[in-house]
Amino acid sequence: MALSQSTQLGLATALFGVLSFVLAVLAELKKPPYGTPVQGRDVVVCRFPRDPTVALGALSALAAACSAALGALAVFFPYDGRHVPRNVLFAHTPLYVFFHVAVGVTVAGAGTTVWATASEAMLRVRNVHRDDPTYACPTAETGVLGGAAFLNLDAMLFWLVCLMLVCNVREDYFDEHGGAGEGGEEK
């Protein structure tokens, strides 16, 4: 039995959203709390243990972006060649609200993931400190990647709600306007 196009897009959105969540949680769990300061002459060099935090964070941000892109595609996709005009979609108030919330939560989640990952990467790249001989070599703020993981998971759930609302709007639209032909033109 073949899955419908909306089910396929919904499953793909969910897959990437859960993947983003898992990768960000793993990045948070693998992140060391601090590096090892090595004293030099008027300088402190930070050595950090090898860990996959930056790579996992980057992959999490990429998966969140893919989830959001698939979620947005699922909203506007012309299933079976039958198109619903954008103004009809957004005239449905719950869809309008959930769509904008999904976009906002996506931006917050992906942005927080990128920010935490970039902060961690910059601490590892700029590991020589000349101004403070007592520098303790901290890593990026603890808990930010974990919080971003939950934002990414929430964004995926909002996109799935949008997909369900789109299905309702599509049914109502085609019931009222009869069947729409190829390219959204009425028969």
Side-chain angles (χ1 to χ4, degrees), residues 11-162:
L11 287 174
T13 301
L15 173 72
F16 280 106
V18 170
L19 181 63
S20 174
F21 171 75
V22 169
L23 290 171
V25 167
L26 286 175
E28 182 67 47
L29 293 174
K30 298 289 184 180
K31 186 176 78 62
Y34 51 84
T36 305
V38 177
Q39 293 291 334
R41 177 178 247 181
D42 298 330
V43 69
V44 174
V45 177
C46 296
R47 284 201 177 139
F48 295 97
R50 289 183 168 241
D51 67 278
T53 302
V54 174
L56 289 172
L59 289 173
S60 174
L62 181 64
C66 288
S67 177
L70 287 167
L73 174 67
V75 169
F76 299 112
F77 189 75
Y79 298 103
D80 298 325
R82 295 171 23 157
H83 176 72
V84 176
R86 188 171 294 168
N87 62 340
V88 172
L89 288 174
F90 288 129
H92 187 67
T93 304
L95 176 59
Y96 180 83
V97 170
F98 273 94
F99 180 83
H100 285 89
V101 170
V103 169
V105 175
T106 297
V107 168
T112 305
T113 305
V114 168
W115 174 67
T117 302
S119 296
E120 185 71 21
M122 292 307 295
L123 286 170
R124 290 166 187 268
V125 170
R126 296 181 179 171
N127 64 340
V128 178
H129 304 278
R130 289 177 171 67
D131 298 335
D132 186 7
T134 62
Y135 191 77
C137 298
T139 57
E141 188 69 32
T142 301
V144 175
L145 277 169
F150 281 99
L151 282 172
N152 292 335
L153 187 65
D154 290 343
M156 177 268 300
L157 292 172
F158 278 112
W159 285 115
L160 291 179
V161 169
C162 285

Side-chain angles (χ1 to χ4, degrees), residues 6 9-10 74-75 79 158-168:
S6 62
L9 285 172
V75 169
Y79 298 103
F158 278 112
W159 285 115
L160 291 179
V161 169
C162 285
L163 180 57
M164 288 185 261
L165 291 171
V166 164
C167 288
N168 292 343

